[in-house]
């Protein structure tokens, strides 16, 4: 049986979801002067850059971009960030990834940032899959899907037109 590719978000829809997530982040942080936008490498970081770009257009909050490198196969390996712990201590952080699948990448990313005191911590994903292995949720999400364990969500943000599809 051949695998089929079902588009779940078109380029235009992805752009709209990114803008909506940026507005939600702004609304939740309207009283903040500074915000750390942390994107999980690779698609999560691309998404974080796009959200930051939208935030820069709609708000006066100073947004700092942080790249988070996690071994997705072995998430217990040391996590690297482009910012030192001192740079995000007592700040508000939004951790961003493209797809919330099992939850392991996001939960280990959250754990890393909890080594220091934070003002506020939220998570954002473009696609939230409703069956997870870990008790983690996305505070901001573009779309939620109920998928089978055999289906896989792919997100292309590296070249235009962007798309998200299920196979």
């Amino acid at each position: 049986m051949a695998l089929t590719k079902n588009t779940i978000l078109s380029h235009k829809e992805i752009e709209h979801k990114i803008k909506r997530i940026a507005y939600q982040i702004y609304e939740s942080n309207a009283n903040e002067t500074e915000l750390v936008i942390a994107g999980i490498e690779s698609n999560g970081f691309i998404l974080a850059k796009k959200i930051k770009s939208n935030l820069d257009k709609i708000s006066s909050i100073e947004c700092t971009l942080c790249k988070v490198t996690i071994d997705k196969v072995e998430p217990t390996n040391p996590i690297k960030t482009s910012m030192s712990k001192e740079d995000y201590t007592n700040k508000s952080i939004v951790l961003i990834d493209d797809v919330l699948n099992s939850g392991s990448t996001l939960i280990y990313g959250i754990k890393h940032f909890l080594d220091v005191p934070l003002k506020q911590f939220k998570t954002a994903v473009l696609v939230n899959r409703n069956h997870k292995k870990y008790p983690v949720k996305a505070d901001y999400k573009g779309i939620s899907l109920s998928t089978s364990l055999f289906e896989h969500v792919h997100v292309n943000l590296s070249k235009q037109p962007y798309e998200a599809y299920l196979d």
Side-chain angles (χ1 to χ4, degrees):
M1 182 163 68
L3 293 176
T4 58
K5 177 178 157 180
N6 298 312
T7 300
I8 53 176
L9 290 173
S10 67
H11 177 84
K12 186 176 179 180
E13 290 168 326
I14 289 173
E15 289 289 319
H16 176 76
K17 301 290 186 198
I18 289 169
K19 190 179 288 187
R20 188 170 60 82
I21 290 169
Y23 272 101
Q24 289 176 320
I25 291 170
Y26 175 49
E27 288 170 5
S28 297
N29 293 279
N31 296 326
E32 297 294 328
T33 56
E34 200 174 352
L35 184 62
V36 175
I37 306 294
I40 297 174
E41 193 176 28
S42 60
N43 262 352
F45 185 66
I46 295 169
L47 182 59
K49 286 194 287 191
K50 294 179 182 311
I51 289 171
K52 179 191 179 300
S53 174
N54 276 272
L55 279 165
D56 289 344
K57 291 175 191 169
I58 63 173
S59 79
S60 60
I61 300 171
E62 183 176 323
C63 296
T64 305
L65 199 57
C66 175
K67 183 185 278 189
V68 181
T69 306
I70 298 176
D71 181 342
K72 292 187 180 192
V73 175
E74 194 55 55
T76 57
N77 284 342
I79 294 171
K80 297 179 186 83
T81 59
S82 61
M83 294 175 72
S84 70
K85 290 183 179 189
E86 294 76 28
D87 291 337
Y88 57 78
T89 298
N90 294 315
K91 302 236 172 97
S92 292
I93 296 178
V94 179
L95 181 63
I96 299 173
D97 204 3
D98 59 340
V99 179
L100 176 51
N101 190 7
S102 70
S104 67
T105 304
L106 208 55
I107 206 158
Y108 282 103
I110 292 167
K111 178 184 175 291
H112 172 80
F113 284 100
L114 295 179
D115 287 343
V116 300
L118 300 173
K119 193 170 185 181
Q120 177 178 264
F121 194 95
K122 300 284 186 179
T123 56
V125 296
L126 182 62
V127 179
N128 179 48
R129 293 184 66 182
N130 290 328
H131 59 271
K132 296 176 222 22
K133 190 167 146 183
Y134 294 96
V136 63
K137 71 175 185 77
D139 297 293
Y140 314 106
K141 50 193 161 269
I143 188 173
S144 289
L145 295 176
S146 292
T147 57
S148 79
L149 295 172
F150 304 105
E151 293 174 305
H152 188 78
V153 175
H154 301 273
V155 176
N156 167 32
L157 295 172
S158 58
K159 61 182 185 342
Q160 293 192 17
Y162 312 133
E163 70 173 333
Y165 61 91
L166 189 65
D167 69 11

